[in-house]
Amino acid sequence: MTAFNHVPKRNLASRRTVLSLAALLCASAIGALPMAAQAQDWPSKPIKLVVPYAAGGFADTRARLISEIMAKELGQSVVVENKGGAGGVLGTDAIAKAKDGHTFGFGSPAPLVTNPILMAKMPYDAQRDLEPVVLIEEAPLILSVALNQPFNSVAELIEAGQKQPDSLSYGSSGIGGAHHMSAALLANQTNTQFVHVPYKGGAPAAADLMGGHLAFMFEMGYAAMPAIKGGKVRPLAVSGLERLKILPDVPTLDEAGIKGFESYNWLGLVAPANTPQPVIERLNAAVNKALADPSVRQAFEDTGGVIVGGSPDQYRQFLDAERLKWGTLIKDANIALE
């Protein structure tokens, strides 16, 4: 018997292991080729951006503003499609379930953070079924009071609310939205009880504020500024940590004595889960390019918005922090869908 026939069994086992690993690596590489090729050739047709709200609102105007620059960067037309309903849930579900590799959309606080906590049943899992692409904007809200109210400062508003609990009402565009959650955060941080009046949209709530049927309301800059400029409501503070350029004389809530108060109606781009990473990166780069455009920056500033941008991972970390923050508030304040 030759030495060749006396190879130890453990060496034969090692050879089999190496060969098996090599085969697996080859199979993985072969399996990855179609996805890599698909990502390299992407986009191969027009891109659809789903806005989970009606036309003319905050998310819609931002989508149409940046889509033109995205189209130039990506070499394909970018079509904005409005799919509103259920506080953004219907449109977000359409994004999560898209399978064509060219449908993406916009995420905001209600469908990505608060609704999944408040609603017993959701058609999608916001963390599992959606992939963060980029955080586009953090839009501070403006706290305004009706002209028939005597308050000229946040301190006066809080003092009145503490002396007579449930005597002051505020409006919102619905339970769980940024307007509602900002007021709930204010009540929680000041140990004050206000009466929440949810509306089917921000416009009717704003109309009742101007009519003196509500005491106060948190509104986004683009919606609040016409009434403020027209002298129909009185602004007391803004919800971000920095003053707005369009309202330089109006303090932040932090400056007004509510230390650490911070709330935004933010907007970000999301993709269906399992979107190839090269596609995520191209989308991210295209949006960041749009956000760097001077005309886009000016449009955001003129309506009280703050551009963010950044990486997909930064957006993911932001979402994790938002879920923790608002989930804690919802539990502490016993907020529930009516």
Side-chain angles (χ1 to χ4, degrees):
M1 185 175 292
T2 65
F4 177 80
N5 293 323
H6 287 281
V7 177
K9 290 184 178 180
R10 62 176 178 273
N11 288 348
L12 288 173
S14 297
R15 286 181 64 196
R16 292 192 188 100
T17 301
V18 170
L19 290 171
S20 298
L21 286 172
L24 285 171
L25 288 171
C26 287
S28 297
I30 292 170
L33 284 175
M35 181 175 289
Q38 181 185 13
Q40 187 175 8
D41 295 337
W42 184 92
S44 59
K45 62 181 181 179
I47 296 164
K48 182 193 296 182
L49 293 183
V50 177
V51 174
Y53 299 101
F58 164 58
D60 179 65
T61 56
R62 294 306 195 232
R64 296 181 189 280
L65 182 63
I66 68 173
S67 64
E68 296 181 10
I69 299 175
M70 288 180 64
K72 293 178 182 177
E73 289 298 307
L74 297 172
Q76 284 282 355
S77 60
V78 177
V79 181
V80 176
E81 179 180 291
N82 297 92
K83 191 175 181 63
V89 169
L90 294 182
T92 306
D93 185 46
I95 301 166
K97 290 181 170 57
K99 303 296 183 183
D100 64 356
H102 288 72
T103 297
F104 311 96
F106 292 85
S108 58
L112 293 190
V113 175
T114 55
N115 281 340
I117 300 171
L118 291 168
M119 298 177 71
K121 292 183 178 181
M122 290 284 289
Y124 58 87
D125 185 310
Q127 293 177 266
R128 182 193 65 205
D129 299 333
L130 293 163
E131 188 73 21
V133 177
V134 60
L135 179 61
I136 295 170
E137 176 179 9
E138 289 180 326
L141 293 93
I142 301 169
L143 169 59
S144 299
V145 296
L147 296 182
N148 63 356
Q149 298 295 325
F151 317 121
N152 290 297
S153 69
V154 174
E156 292 177 357
L157 174 68
I158 299 303
E159 183 181 5
Q162 290 175 339
K163 286 183 177 179
Q164 293 183 305
D166 295 331
S167 63
L168 300 175
S169 63
Y170 68 92
S172 79
S173 58
I175 296 173
H179 310 76
H180 171 212
M181 299 307 293
S182 297
L185 182 63
L186 178 63
N188 182 264
Q189 290 192 202
T190 59
N191 194 29
T192 309
Q193 294 180 17
F194 301 118
V195 177
H196 177 214
V197 183
Y199 289 74
K200 292 182 179 180
D208 273 1
L209 178 68
M210 289 186 286
H213 304 297
L214 298 169
F216 70 95
M217 183 175 170
F218 280 87
E219 286 187 276
M220 294 188 61
Y222 82 94
M225 286 308 296
I228 291 172
K229 290 180 178 179
K232 297 179 179 179
V233 297
R234 186 184 310 119
L236 298 185
V238 296
S239 68
L241 291 178
E242 295 183 3
R243 296 192 182 196
L244 295 177
K245 292 183 178 181
I246 55 175
L247 286 174
D249 297 327
V250 177
T252 66
L253 278 154
D254 179 83
E255 291 175 324
I258 318 301
K259 295 302 178 183
F261 190 99
E262 189 176 11
S263 178
Y264 305 95
N265 192 13
W266 47 264
L267 186 69
L269 187 68
V270 292
N274 300 319
T275 298
Q277 191 60 33
V279 172
I280 296 289
E281 291 172 359
R282 286 202 65 190
L283 280 169
N284 177 274
V287 174
N288 276 302
K289 179 76 172 181
L291 297 179
D293 187 276
S295 65
V296 172
R297 287 187 169 275
Q298 190 63 52
F300 276 51
E301 289 182 2
D302 288 347
T303 50
V306 178
I307 284 178
V308 183
S311 69
D313 191 56
Q314 287 173 322
Y315 187 18
R316 182 177 288 104
Q317 292 176 26
F318 173 85
L319 286 170
D320 289 342
E322 286 285 281
R323 290 181 177 115
L324 177 61
K325 175 179 180 175
W326 298 112
T328 300
L329 176 64
I330 287 170
K331 180 180 179 180
D332 292 346
N334 295 315
I335 297 172
L337 292 173
E338 297 176 353

